[in-house]
């Protein structure tokens, strides 16, 4: 079984560099999908209140019989629950649905800058972390300006920023800001949602050269860049394929070819205006 390396976050917590995403997996299918992932060796699961599958995810975690300390569970506070009190209530609900006493990582899902509430929401996350109910706290979809504003008034620097990132949207500027501030980069839609990217001729050529699949090559690119990745699949063979990426390495020339695919393609909403 594949051994997933860990990254050390800015508060010393270890986070598996590869995890399993469950966006768009219905609650009743999440239990099987997460069980398959745990069986394949994944230990990190990325869900969110919005996904409506915290209960199904929690059922698979409980049924696995794995010790809690071997698991790394992430969930997120949704846009309608910004603000100090609302975020605390939303967290209680997520924890109850997951059936857990703590999560490993709790994220603000989107900054919603026009609402101007993310600094209050962050104070709630700081409180949750201080109470030991989240081992680490972070953000998602934060742009450089949002990060700088948050850090300027915060007691705790976010451990992670989870953002859309794949070879067609490499986020170089944002990754440089993360490096400067000590924030780990986590890539959502790491496979470009399984669309055009996986059929790209450059990706296909590199995959052929290594006797690997397009998805495995893209995941290697992320891992060698230092990103945390959370590919999603409900297909058991793909779930296993996506974690089978720790026994080969892409040379610098391949990484450069993949870097040249960056054309700013955004598959999801613009964080400056969404919400
Ligand atoms: P991914 O880039 O992980 O792609 C998932 C798609 O690719 C699915 O359609 C899947 O199909 C297909 N796929 C998976 N593996 C393979 C493979 N080996 N070969 C071919 N196709 C494959 O997209 P997501 O948008 O789901 O992103 C991953 C996770 O990131 C989410 O599940 C969620 O946890 C997180 N996320 C966070 C966001 C945020 O705002 N913070 C926003 C979006 C995602 P199938 O399932 O049918 O096998």
């Amino acid at each position: 079984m594949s051994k997933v390396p860990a990254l050390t976050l800015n508060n010393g917590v270890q986070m598996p560099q590869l995890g399993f995403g469950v966006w768009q997996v219905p609650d009743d299918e999440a239990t099987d999908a997460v069980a398959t992932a745990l069986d394949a060796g994944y230990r990190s699961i990325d869900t969110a209140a919005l996904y409506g599958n915290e209960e199904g995810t929690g059922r698979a975690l409980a049924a696995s019989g794995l010790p809690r300390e071997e698991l790394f569970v992430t969930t997120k506070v949704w846009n309608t629950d910004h603000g100090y009190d609302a975020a605390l209530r939303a967290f209680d609900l997520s924890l109850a649905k997951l059936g857990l006493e703590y999560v490993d990582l709790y994220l603000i899902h989107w900054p919603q800058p026009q609402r101007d509430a993310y600094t209050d929401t962050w104070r709630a996350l700081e409180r949750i972390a201080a109470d030991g109910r989240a081992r680490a706290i972070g953000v998602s979809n934060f742009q450089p300006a949002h990060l700088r504003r948050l850090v300027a008034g915060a007691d705790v620097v976010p451990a992670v920023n989870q953002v859309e990132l794949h070879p067609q949207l490499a986020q170089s500027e944002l990754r440089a800001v993360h490096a400067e501030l000590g924030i780990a980069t986590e890539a959502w839609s790491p496979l470009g949602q399984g669309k055009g990217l996986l059929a790209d001729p450059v990706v296909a050529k590199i995959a052929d050269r290594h006797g690997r699949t397009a998805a495995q090559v893209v995941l290697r690119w992320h891992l060698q860049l230092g990103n945390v990745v959370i590919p999603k699949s409900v297909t058991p063979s793909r779930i296993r394929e996506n974690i089978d990426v720790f026994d080969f390495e892409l040379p610098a020339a391949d990484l450069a070819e993949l870097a040249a695919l960056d054309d700013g393609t955004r598959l999801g909403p613009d964080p400056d205006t969404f919400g």
Side-chain angles (χ1 to χ4, degrees), residues 262-275:
D262 185 8
D263 59 2
T265 298
R266 231 182 231 290
L267 302 168
D270 179 347
D272 283 315
T273 52
F274 180 68

Side-chain angles (χ1 to χ4, degrees), residues 6 46 74 109 154 178 200 205 222-223 246:
D46 182 84
T74 301
H109 207 144
H178 292 169
D200 186 283
K205 185 185 64 184
H222 282 284
L223 295 167
F246 296 102

Side-chain angles (χ1 to χ4, degrees), residues 13-27:
V13 166
Q14 303 253 32
M15 176 172 192
Q17 204 184 350
L18 185 143
F20 185 64
V22 294
W23 179 42
Q24 292 178 317
V25 183
D27 195 54

Side-chain angles (χ1 to χ4, degrees), residues 23 46 140-141 162 189 191 232-235 238 241-242:
W23 179 42
D46 182 84
S140 178
N141 298 302
Q162 183 187 113
S189 295
L191 302 174
K232 170 265 176 187
S233 177
V234 291
T235 313
R238 289 174 173 174
E241 171 187 329
N242 293 345

Side-chain angles (χ1 to χ4, degrees), residues 192-204:
Q193 300 183 352
K195 294 179 185 154
L197 175 67
L198 296 186
D200 186 283
V202 171
V203 178

